[in-house]
Amino acid sequence: MFLSVTEDLVRRRAEHNNCEIFSLEEISLHQQEIEKLEYLDKWCRDLKILYLQNNLIPKLENVGKLKKLEYLNVALNNIERIENLEGCEELKKLDLTANFIGELSSIETLKYNIHLKELFLVGNPCTEFEGYRQFVVATLHQLKCLDSKEIERSERIQALQNYPEVKQKIREQEQAYLLKRAREKEEAQRRMQERKEKKQNQMESEHGFNSPDSLQDKENHQAEGDGEQEMWRTVEDDEEDRRFWEELTPYTPESRLETHRYIEEKRRVFLVIIIRLHFSLKDDEENNQIILDLAVYRHLDTSLLDVDVQPTYVRVLVKGKPFQFVLPEEVKPDSSSAKRSQTTGHLVVSMPKVCNLRRHNTKILKYYESGQVEKLEVDPSKYSFPDVTKIIQEKERTGQGPVSLQPKRITETKKSYVDFENNEDVPPLI
């Protein structure tokens, strides 16, 4: 099962943009154990800067629709060839440091990225090819800087002159490398099959150990309290660890992925439960928290329990014996709480999640899917329509417009001057 880019992950890394992903211009998804690039070209069309270094990405894909992308960093991944970047029309800088690119001829696809100025290929197998730099400089005319070294005009002229010969050498070395990679893949497949069979045999032997008689013996040992609860950490496990880390293996995408899988397995399985206690982990989406129910002994004194909640894991000491579990999501240690159940005596640890976006999105989705839209209604008895004719107070317009249109007002004006005397000696007002 591979890990891909999820909406939750993108929103968590978009805090600088108020968790809005549609208008994102820059995002950093480094060290997220991503094994497949998906959805970014649909969710974040306006991306200009994308950091994806130190993941497990084997192939460049689903970024071709990012028309505004200017800088792409995919250093320290498992990429073996350059492809699917023709649609990144504004790409100016591409960092492919420390990958597994052996098909140097695949850089020809970057001819369509006319704005590309900087390219980093340090740490890739192709950099060991004879004529590597000359081939890249002659192939990508638009390039100004290769592996942090500026391309001089004289260097490009010389590279173009020797291009046919250099190209032929590159093709030969490339074919030899591809044959070597085919052998490495077969060897990796063989090792993986052997490890799988060995693990299957171990599971069968453990199944035989869990027979009724052996279980009774185990319960007797637990009752004695002599430390036999630490059954998962055995001498054989220590020996397996030593063999795994001391085994000489070539540095390939397969070995890098195998190492990651081994560490992940040890982290989630081998070190998850060191003491054998029943437990349940519940994702309480309604309250946006993770609840761990650990079946500690009912009559065990609470003072013998010690709980340590970290952002990515929870650790419980039961009578000095550790129980550790890796959490599926990041939580808030400061807001977490632990209590004993009054009925069962179980230890219940409630851990609020760091990101509560899923909860809100789920509620909104359910609201729209239900089709029950609440409308704001007003009691008709408690409102009345305003009289629009009284919004603006009427003012007298005496003396404006033709006299014939205001006979009543003129008359009222004349009536208001009751004591008026007409003096003939006074000239009329004009």
Side-chain angles (χ1 to χ4, degrees), residues 1-4 32-36 54-59 76-80 98-100 181 184-185 188-189 191-192 195 244-245 249-266:
M1 181 180 179
F2 56 81
L3 299 177
S4 61
Q32 296 296 322
E33 301 177 355
I34 298 171
E35 297 180 37
K36 188 175 178 62
N54 203 2
N55 283 291
L56 299 165
I57 301 170
K59 183 179 180 181
L76 287 166
N77 278 279
N78 293 347
I79 299 170
E80 297 194 61
N99 275 273
F100 296 90
R181 280 292 297 129
E184 290 175 349
K185 289 180 180 179
Q189 188 68 25
R191 286 200 311 270
M192 186 181 299
R195 196 176 300 277
F244 180 83
W245 293 113
T249 56
Y251 183 63
T252 63
E254 292 78 23
S255 64
R256 188 168 182 260
L257 189 60
E258 182 184 7
T259 302
H260 168 73
R261 292 272 192 268
Y262 185 81
I263 296 174
E264 187 71 11
E265 180 183 357
K266 293 297 181 182

Side-chain angles (χ1 to χ4, degrees), residues 377-384:
E377 300 291 347
V378 183
D379 186 358
S381 63
K382 295 182 180 180
Y383 74 89
S384 60

Side-chain angles (χ1 to χ4, degrees), residues 42-301:
K42 297 186 177 80
W43 296 338
C44 313
R45 292 288 184 93
D46 294 333
L47 273 181
K48 293 183 179 180
I49 301 176
L50 177 57
Y51 295 100
L52 289 164
Q53 65 268 33
N54 203 2
N55 283 291
L56 299 165
I57 301 170
K59 183 179 180 181
L60 286 171
E61 56 186 341
N62 299 318
V63 292
K65 294 182 181 179
L66 299 175
K67 304 293 184 182
K68 300 179 182 180
L69 189 64
E70 298 179 3
Y71 176 33
L72 176 60
N73 190 330
V74 284
L76 287 166
N77 278 279
N78 293 347
I79 299 170
E80 297 194 61
R81 70 189 315 270
I82 304 172
E83 57 188 338
N84 301 322
L85 294 176
E86 296 86 349
C88 301
E89 299 173 355
E90 298 296 324
L91 188 62
K92 298 177 181 178
K93 185 177 180 180
L94 177 60
D95 193 342
L96 289 160
T97 301
N99 275 273
F100 296 90
I101 298 174
E103 295 185 50
L104 185 57
S105 59
S106 63
I107 67 165
E108 294 179 352
T109 60
L110 296 177
K111 289 180 179 180
Y112 302 98
N113 303 99
I114 59 175
H115 298 290
L116 183 64
K117 304 301 178 186
E118 296 182 71
L119 177 63
F120 297 87
L121 291 171
V122 176
N124 284 274
C126 63
T127 59
E128 299 177 3
F129 293 173
E130 182 183 353
Y132 148 74
R133 184 174 177 89
Q134 283 184 312
F135 179 78
V136 177
V137 170
T139 303
L140 303 178
H141 300 171
Q142 76 275 29
L143 211 59
K144 301 295 182 184
C145 182
L146 175 61
D147 297 334
S148 301
K149 184 179 179 181
E150 187 177 352
I151 301 173
E152 301 290 342
R153 183 169 178 269
S154 58
E155 181 184 9
R156 173 161 280 123
I157 293 174
Q158 184 178 1
L160 290 171
Q161 290 175 346
N162 300 330
Y163 182 68
E165 299 176 3
V166 172
K167 185 177 180 180
Q168 181 62 29
K169 290 182 180 180
I170 293 295
R171 296 289 186 186
E172 294 174 358
Q173 296 174 86
E174 192 175 84
Q175 291 299 321
Y177 174 79
L178 291 177
L179 291 174
K180 176 186 174 183
R181 280 292 297 129
R183 292 193 297 269
E184 290 175 349
K185 289 180 180 179
E186 291 178 1
E187 180 64 20
Q189 188 68 25
R190 184 188 61 78
R191 286 200 311 270
M192 186 181 299
Q193 186 64 28
E194 288 180 356
R195 196 176 300 277
K196 186 177 179 180
E197 292 176 356
K198 185 176 180 180
K199 186 177 180 181
Q200 184 67 26
N201 294 335
Q202 288 179 349
M203 291 178 63
E204 292 176 357
S205 62
E206 288 177 5
H207 180 73
F209 178 75
N210 288 334
S211 61
D213 294 336
S214 61
L215 288 175
Q216 182 63 37
D217 293 340
K218 182 181 65 178
E219 290 177 359
N220 294 336
H221 286 302
Q222 290 177 346
E224 294 173 1
D226 57 356
E228 293 295 331
Q229 289 174 328
E230 298 183 12
M231 301 179 58
W232 294 93
R233 195 66 180 173
T234 62
V235 177
E236 289 77 8
D237 295 322
D238 292 334
E239 184 66 20
E240 181 187 0
D241 276 352
R242 187 185 63 79
R243 286 198 304 267
F244 180 83
W245 293 113
E246 291 183 357
E247 182 182 6
L248 295 177
T249 56
Y251 183 63
T252 63
E254 292 78 23
S255 64
R256 188 168 182 260
L257 189 60
E258 182 184 7
T259 302
H260 168 73
R261 292 272 192 268
Y262 185 81
I263 296 174
E264 187 71 11
E265 180 183 357
K266 293 297 181 182
R267 185 168 63 129
R268 291 188 175 273
V269 179
F270 186 71
L271 293 177
V272 163
I273 309 173
I274 301 180
I275 60 173
R276 182 158 294 199
L277 289 175
H278 295 288
F279 72 96
S280 65
L281 194 70
K282 178 183 177 184
D283 189 353
D284 186 1
E285 294 185 356
E286 183 65 25
N287 297 313
N288 192 47
Q289 63 181 355
I290 298 174
I291 300 176
L292 172 65
D293 188 319
L294 184 61
V296 298
Y297 310 115
R298 185 171 184 177
H299 301 290
L300 181 68
D301 195 324

Side-chain angles (χ1 to χ4, degrees), residues 4-29 32 34 38-40 42-45 47 50 288 329-330 354-365:
S4 61
V5 179
T6 63
E7 184 179 353
D8 267 355
L9 173 61
V10 176
R11 288 194 183 278
R12 285 201 304 270
R13 306 298 294 181
E15 293 178 351
H16 61 283
N17 199 46
N18 296 323
C19 295
E20 295 179 355
I21 62 176
F22 69 92
S23 59
L24 265 181
E25 293 187 357
E26 178 179 345
I27 190 170
S28 178
L29 298 174
Q32 296 296 322
I34 298 171
E38 289 182 306
Y39 309 121
L40 286 177
K42 297 186 177 80
W43 296 338
C44 313
R45 292 288 184 93
L47 273 181
L50 177 57
N288 192 47
E329 293 187 46
E330 192 172 349
V354 170
C355 185
N356 59 358
L357 293 170
R358 179 177 295 179
R359 173 187 171 191
H360 298 315
N361 291 342
T362 304
K363 285 188 174 181
I364 294 173
L365 183 60

Side-chain angles (χ1 to χ4, degrees), residues 384-402:
S384 60
F385 291 105
D387 187 357
V388 296
T389 61
K390 296 181 180 180
I391 293 178
I392 300 178
Q393 296 182 357
E394 184 178 358
K395 296 182 180 180
E396 292 186 357
R397 299 175 58 188
T398 306
Q400 299 181 12

